[in-house]
Amino acid sequence: MSRQLPADYETYELRKIKIGIRMTILYALVYAGFIFLAVSQPDWMGLPFLFGQNLAITYGLGLILIAIFFALVYNYLLSRLVPKDLEQKTAHNKNTSKEKGN
Amino acid sequence: MAIVVFIIFVILILAISFRSGKRSKGAGGYFVANSSINWGVNGIAFAGSYLSVASFLGICGLIAFFGYDGFLYSIGFLAGWIIALFVIAEPMKRRGTFTFSDALNESFKRPGIQLAAGLSILVVSLFYIVPQMVGAGVLMEPLLGIPHAWGVIIVGAVVILIVTSGGMTSTTYVQFFNGGLLLTFAAVLTVAVLARGLQTDAHPVPVNISGLENYDYQQVAVEWDGETPRVDLLGVSVQDRYAVINPNTGQEDRVFFLLSRLVDFGATDDGDYIVRIKGHPVQFQDSDFQAGMLNFESLDGRDYLRIQDWWQLLPDGDGGYLLEETQSRVISASRNTVVNGIPEEIFSHMRLVGGIAQLPQEFGQSTGSLGPWKILSVLSDEETVLNRPGSASFQTESGEQVTIHYQQAIEGSIFMRPGLMFPLEPRPGESQTATLLNRLNFISLLATLFLGTAALPHILIRYYTVPDVDAARKSTIVAIAGIGLFYVLTMYLGVGAIANGALNPESNNMSAPLLARSFGEVLFAIISGIAFTTVLATMSGLIMAASGAVAHDLMTNIIKRDFSEKTKVLTGRIVSVVVGVLGIILGIMFKEMNVSFLVGWAFAVAASANLPSLLVVLFWKKATANGIIASILTGIVSSVGLILLSPDMWARYGLNPANAPMPLNQPGIISIPLSFLVLVAVSLLGQKKRAEAQPAS
């Protein structure tokens, strides 16, 4: 089952994983910040924050929009990561996985 | 109208599933649609599968009834996709072919892992199926006028048809269809809410479905000496009194009185009678008097109807008091139901509640059209006052089960921030411990939603329907964008429902369809139809996950034989039918619970059972097979066990929730770390043993 992949492919995978984990931690921090604020300073959540909107709504809608933004950034970072010669190897990998599916 | 749209949707869905089902051949076709789905289609299908009735009906209902706290679910449900995209999507696709247990087992090849993972998929799927089924019943009841149980059975039957016809292929296209519809019409409804703006008149559009009209509750002045209220209503006497006691202070939070009084009634042209109950005409006949269902009395030569209804005592703001009408459902010991003082058989219904009591001064009675940003800031303004529904249930000495639905004025600034469902600040006179528990529930819920999404079985199987890792990633991004947009819209649908007075006090799950109905029959019919397809899409994904787990993971490893593809597909189909029928039974049993709340539990089980092993297998080289098996089993047992011991379940057993052995309703904060710990501990112990056995290395 285990496929032998070239060494540079392995490092490519590793770099992808690193980017993924870093961005997850970053988002988790923003998310934890929301929970922490709501629990420790609940009254702040009702204060006007941005253009007449209170902090709770700004932060809450912000968390959703940031997630969408992060997803796009992640895709952009990964698309820049693939070196030209590797694209062929991943294309080859595509074919093998297709065969397995059938 | 609603029935026509409903039938059109069912025909469309069955056409889609049979057409696409023809293309699915063999085990690969049945379980993973030959891994040939385009990433864009898969992304929308992700949305159609993930956005369940819990997101659509449940969250809108929670926002409408609890304000901002309902929106916490939206935030958490979306945030979880970050882990799904950044951490799980690609490795999951690279390592597995059919189910996520393949991915877990890739480097171990131990049947135990496959068994434990298969079992956990089955348990989580079942936990998730319950709220979907409850939602289906809740919806079909008012929509088609059929009992809850029949609604659940119809939905179950259609789902079974979808999954047995074409497996994952038909499921995918049904989910794609549903995802597109959901996004489109949530946007349409939001635009309608914004265009109408906010007004203090709660029923801006004439409504003509009998029994669901909104009504402004009457208030009467009262003389009150602290004992018996004296009030100027015809033939009135006070029959009973009920007070809601604050468990922390021991003081009376709310006081209700049961008034027996006389109401006027008239005759219709065709010889029936008509009486206005809570502002709405109720027709009755001579035979109703004869059957003893109604009582009449003569006073000064005129006939009146005698009814009993509950009123709430409120301060009038000038040092005096007043009584405000409430709505009530009273079930007698002999199971006769009386709604608002009239037997339910005579077509007496709950009225819709909600609405805006006061807008900021600059707007007067109506704001006119508002932008998406402005409408939220007007609602959270200190001067805005909303009518929020509340309820109290109790049993009288004569054995009647009484539920009172009252309305309470609440400032927009309080409604639009956290605290109504999970009170994070101690209220006057409340002890700190009450809020500590709420804080833990709050943290537990948000952590669970964040960690649970990526571990849901019907999400995980969608990674296997695309051809490669790039497609897996891209379809996840499409999913995040679509789902994120939808969750932003839930905010508008939820606040729109309360602002337009479209709340059924007995069922917060109906808020979104009722909001649509305030814009007319057509939108109501479409939204109800979409809610129905939503149940079908999510359910079929869950049933596919469960049947894949049984046919691929459990059967192969328990019977220890390699089965032919045909047998696997046949087993898959049989399991689909069994799980579908099980879902129908559970859906009938859990009728009254809010669907989002139930989904919170499914997330807790998924996050506890699956996530630790998923993460650890991908990123920790020292993980052992025993560690993974132990972690999955610990996760299932601890999360399900804690749920069974929680205050909410205690109430369900008919016991006092305060005596529940587990004080938290949300188990995730305990069971997720526990499952992680077990994994690490068992793995490290195993490593040590292995090192001792092979001293040379």
Side-chain angles (χ1 to χ4, degrees):
Chain A
M1 279 286 264
S2 71
R3 291 181 294 271
Q4 284 301 315
L5 291 164
D8 50 348
Y9 185 81
E10 292 283 319
T11 54
Y12 164 62
E13 288 305 323
L14 267 179
R15 279 160 68 193
K16 281 212 282 199
I17 289 172
K18 259 189 191 159
I19 294 178
I21 291 183
R22 279 188 193 149
M23 292 191 74
T24 308
I25 292 173
L26 197 60
Y27 189 84
L29 286 177
V30 183
Y31 187 76
F34 173 79
I35 301 177
F36 178 76
L37 258 182
V39 170
S40 65
Q41 305 292 345
D43 46 330
W44 288 9
M45 286 306 222
L47 298 178
F49 185 73
L50 195 66
F51 303 117
Q53 214 71 273
N54 69 26
L55 178 62
I57 291 174
T58 317
Y59 207 149
L61 289 176
L63 275 170
I64 292 182
L65 298 178
I66 290 171
I68 299 175
F69 175 69
F70 265 41
L72 297 173
V73 170
Y74 175 72
N75 197 43
Y76 171 74
L77 288 179
L78 255 59
S79 67
R80 274 191 10 167
L81 200 65
V82 188
K84 276 277 170 271
D85 59 317
L86 261 174
E87 259 173 4
Q88 289 175 334
K89 281 163 195 158
T90 33
H92 167 74
N93 183 28
K94 252 179 220 176
N95 295 333
T96 48
S97 64
K98 222 174 197 173
E99 280 154 24
K100 263 171 49 190
N102 285 324
Chain B
M1 178 62 150
I3 295 180
V4 175
V5 173
F6 170 80
I7 292 171
I8 292 174
F9 276 23
V10 173
I11 293 172
L12 266 178
I13 285 216
L14 289 179
I16 292 173
S17 44
F18 283 111
R19 241 187 88 90
S20 53
K22 281 193 193 139
R23 275 187 268 162
S24 90
K25 298 241 159 56
Y30 187 78
F31 291 111
V32 290
N34 294 322
S35 301
S36 60
I37 305 288
N38 165 283
W39 57 266
V41 173
N42 203 59
I44 299 296
F46 257 132
S49 165
Y50 185 68
L51 294 173
S52 64
V53 278
S55 302
F56 183 35
L57 302 183
I59 291 181
C60 292
L62 289 179
I63 293 176
F65 278 64
F66 296 97
Y68 191 88
D69 277 359
F71 190 60
L72 292 173
Y73 282 90
S74 292
I75 297 170
F77 279 145
L78 183 74
W81 278 90
I82 289 290
I83 297 187
L85 171 64
F86 294 164
V87 187
I88 305 285
E90 294 197 22
M92 200 43 45
K93 176 65 196 167
R94 239 190 333 268
R95 285 164 160 252
T97 44
F98 279 107
T99 61
F100 96 98
S101 29
D102 289 341
L104 281 187
N105 209 8
E106 199 212 11
S107 39
F108 299 109
K109 307 274 181 287
R110 281 269 300 271
I113 293 188
Q114 206 109 14
L115 277 178
L119 183 71
S120 112
I121 295 176
L122 203 59
V123 172
V124 177
S125 302
L126 275 177
F127 256 89
Y128 214 121
I129 281 171
V130 176
Q132 310 306 321
M133 278 304 204
V134 172
V138 162
L139 194 75
M140 306 281 273
E141 208 169 350
L143 183 65
L144 301 184
I146 50 175
H148 179 91
W150 277 106
V152 172
I153 291 169
I154 291 175
V155 170
V158 179
V159 170
I160 291 172
L161 269 179
I162 295 172
V163 288
T164 49
S165 73
M168 202 56 200
T169 316
S170 49
T171 299
T172 300
Y173 286 101
V174 169
Q175 289 173 344
F176 173 71
F177 175 69
N178 172 60
L181 280 178
L182 259 180
L183 281 167
T184 312
F185 280 92
V188 168
L189 202 49
T190 302
V191 170
V193 167
L194 296 175
R196 181 188 279 171
L198 304 169
Q199 46 252 98
T200 47
D201 176 14
H203 26 120
V205 165
V207 278
N208 51 15
I209 293 185
S210 56
L212 288 168
E213 289 78 0
N214 192 295
Y215 174 58
D216 292 329
Y217 292 102
Q218 298 300 309
Q219 295 179 333
V220 290
V222 64
E223 275 179 56
W224 196 51
D225 52 10
E227 293 281 325
T228 310
R230 269 203 304 278
V231 49
D232 188 23
L233 289 169
L234 201 61
V236 70
S237 62
V238 177
Q239 298 288 313
D240 203 352
R241 175 184 191 280
Y242 175 73
V244 181
I245 310 276
N246 184 325
N248 295 305
T249 59
Q251 281 169 344
E252 293 183 341
D253 271 357
R254 256 165 227 291
V255 182
F256 300 98
F257 291 100
L258 177 64
L259 302 186
S260 172
R261 61 194 176 101
L262 296 177
V263 288
D264 212 355
F265 65 91
T268 63
D269 295 339
D270 37 341
D272 289 347
Y273 301 108
I274 192 157
V275 61
R276 289 193 89 77
I277 297 294
K278 310 286 175 205
H280 175 64
V282 174
Q283 279 197 29
F284 59 97
Q285 296 158 342
D286 262 332
S287 57
D288 295 328
F289 285 120
Q290 284 148 16
M293 286 202 283
L294 296 172
N295 300 308
F296 74 100
E297 243 174 75
S298 294
L299 188 74
D300 301 331
R302 283 200 62 176
D303 285 342
Y304 295 94
L305 197 65
R306 180 162 284 285
I307 64 164
Q308 294 194 340
D309 57 356
W310 288 89
W311 295 64
Q312 184 184 191
L313 186 76
L314 292 171
D316 66 359
D318 289 327
Y321 287 90
L322 51 83
L323 281 178
E324 186 178 78
E325 266 185 306
T326 67
Q327 301 197 73
S328 60
R329 178 179 290 274
V330 180
I331 303 170
S332 70
S334 51
R335 310 298 298 164
N336 290 320
T337 304
V338 173
V339 176
N340 293 336
I342 301 279
E344 197 180 24
E345 293 140 272
I346 313 181
F347 210 64
S348 183
H349 285 266
M350 285 285 161
R351 305 286 159 261
L352 296 193
V353 295
I356 298 175
Q358 183 189 310
L359 283 168
Q361 234 167 15
E362 54 185 295
F363 296 111
Q365 299 287 307
S366 168
T367 61
S369 298
L370 289 172
W373 190 260
K374 186 72 181 167
I375 196 169
L376 296 181
S377 63
V378 172
L379 277 168
S380 50
D381 194 288
E382 279 179 350
E383 289 178 48
T384 303
V385 178
L386 295 155
N387 290 324
R388 182 179 166 239
S391 66
S393 287
F394 57 94
Q395 199 160 16
T396 62
E397 280 170 13
S398 52
E400 287 171 329
Q401 190 61 45
V402 180
T403 308
I404 297 176
H405 298 282
Y406 54 89
Q407 61 180 8
Q408 51 193 139
I410 183 165
E411 278 175 33
S413 58
I414 295 179
F415 190 75
M416 297 295 278
R417 52 178 273 207
L420 287 176
M421 202 177 352
F422 305 97
L424 297 169
E425 298 160 277
R427 281 173 293 205
E430 216 171 57
S431 67
Q432 285 284 344
T433 44
T435 40
L436 178 69
L437 223 52
N438 282 325
R439 283 179 194 160
L440 284 177
N441 268 324
F442 176 89
I443 297 172
S444 186
L445 174 73
L446 281 173
T448 306
L449 297 183
F450 186 56
L451 298 173
T453 305
L456 290 173
H458 64 303
I459 297 307
L460 289 167
I461 51 167
R462 289 232 62 88
Y463 291 127
Y464 302 118
T465 56
V466 289
D468 55 53
V469 284
D470 284 340
R473 184 183 73 241
K474 283 183 195 154
S475 67
T476 316
I477 292 165
V478 172
I480 290 184
I483 295 168
L485 179 70
F486 181 84
Y487 281 137
V488 171
L489 299 179
T490 57
M491 177 61 124
Y492 295 96
L493 303 187
V495 296
I498 184 168
N500 286 292
L503 307 183
N504 177 349
E506 292 189 308
S507 165
N508 58 22
N509 293 321
M510 274 301 284
S511 306
L514 288 174
L515 168 68
R517 213 211 42 182
S518 79
F519 292 98
E521 282 297 286
V522 180
L523 206 50
F524 174 60
I526 294 175
I527 293 290
S528 305
I530 294 174
F532 174 72
T533 60
T534 305
V535 180
L536 298 181
T538 309
M539 278 284 291
S540 41
L542 287 165
I543 292 185
M544 279 311 300
S547 79
V550 174
H552 184 70
D553 299 333
L554 298 184
M555 193 176 77
T556 321
N557 287 300
I558 291 175
I559 312 182
K560 297 210 185 297
R561 217 184 78 192
D562 255 342
F563 290 93
S564 70
E565 294 214 344
K566 247 188 174 163
T567 327
K568 276 192 181 176
V569 173
L570 182 69
T571 320
R573 290 204 159 106
I574 295 172
V575 175
S576 306
V577 176
V578 173
V579 174
V581 172
L582 210 58
I584 292 174
I585 297 169
L586 292 171
I588 295 171
M589 275 170 55
F590 282 83
K591 186 183 164 184
E592 306 94 21
M593 306 231 8
N594 175 284
V595 291
S596 288
F597 200 85
L598 288 169
V599 161
W601 283 350
F603 270 70
V605 181
S608 316
N610 300 346
L611 192 76
S613 43
L614 272 175
L615 289 181
V616 166
V617 157
L618 296 176
F619 304 112
W620 193 47
K621 297 230 157 53
K622 287 183 180 167
T624 65
N626 287 338
I628 291 167
I629 298 169
S631 154
I632 293 176
L633 297 180
T634 309
I636 299 176
V637 172
S638 62
S639 55
V640 175
L642 289 174
I643 288 170
L644 292 178
L645 298 177
S646 70
D648 276 319
M649 282 309 282
W650 233 242
R652 194 135 286 269
Y653 306 143
L655 301 167
N656 181 0
N659 295 337
M662 158 79 182
L664 289 174
N665 277 318
Q666 298 291 344
I669 201 170
I670 297 173
S671 55
I672 300 172
L674 185 68
S675 170
F676 260 113
L677 272 179
V678 168
L679 209 178
V680 173
V682 174
S683 295
L684 286 181
L685 278 176
Q687 295 279 334
K688 213 171 149 194
K689 270 187 199 152
R690 199 182 298 166
E692 281 163 8
Q694 302 169 303
S697 65

